[in-house]
Amino acid sequence: MTELPYERTLIAVGAVPATERAVKLTIDYARERHVFGKPLLELQNTRFVLASAKTRATVARAFVDRCIEMMVDGTMDAATASMAKLWTTETQCEVIDDCLQLFGGYGYMLEYPIAQMYADARVQRIYGGANEIMKELIARTL
């Protein structure tokens, strides 16, 4: 039980690069994929979805960097570790889902990395304590 904050922080640490990778893969795809005679990235909705995804990935990175500092200096507490796991894994799943949508039907084919990332991301919200448990642990500190 004493190692749960460490485990939850590690899960958060893993969620961030997966989120960032999904954004990068989708930006690259949107530059190459043409719809209506122009790159998918030139469509306003695509740019807005990716702007939001990149922002969320950047915020997750900043939070996790701070959590790593807390682990190193010994100030990490169970509630903050729970928040890190909750926030980053929810963000990972939501961002990857948004990115997969931009791939259209290709996003659901396992030949595309985004499809495998989508399948892999789902368990992040379960192991290390389900995210519903994270909410309860956080709520106990209110």
Side-chain angles (χ1 to χ4, degrees), residues 38-50:
K38 58 185 172 183
L40 181 60
L41 192 57
E42 288 186 22
L43 298 176
Q44 185 180 48
N45 182 68
T46 301
R47 290 194 316 272
F48 284 5
V49 168
L50 288 170

Side-chain angles (χ1 to χ4, degrees), residues 117-129:
M117 292 175 73
Y118 181 80
D120 293 344
R122 185 58 181 91
V123 73
Q124 291 281 86
R125 295 174 11 203
I126 299 170
Y127 62 54

Side-chain angles (χ1 to χ4, degrees), residues 2 4 7 14 23 25-27 31 35-36 39 41 48 51 58 62 65 73 79 88 110 114 124 128 134 139:
T2 61
L4 286 174
E7 177 185 16
V23 173
L25 286 171
T26 308
I27 291 169
R31 281 190 178 120
V35 295
F36 305 118
L41 192 57
F48 284 5
T58 301
D65 285 352
D73 69 20
T88 59
L110 290 177
I114 196 73
Q124 291 281 86
M134 298 305 101

Side-chain angles (χ1 to χ4, degrees), residues 82-111:
S82 296
M83 286 184 247
K85 191 239 184 229
L86 173 67
W87 174 258
T88 59
T89 60
E90 292 288 334
T91 298
Q92 176 186 4
C93 288
E94 292 164 2
V95 166
I96 290 174
D97 184 63
D98 289 346
C99 289
L100 183 141
Q101 184 70 27
L102 293 175
F103 277 79
Y106 292 131
Y108 204 68
M109 297 172 63
L110 290 177
E111 291 82 9

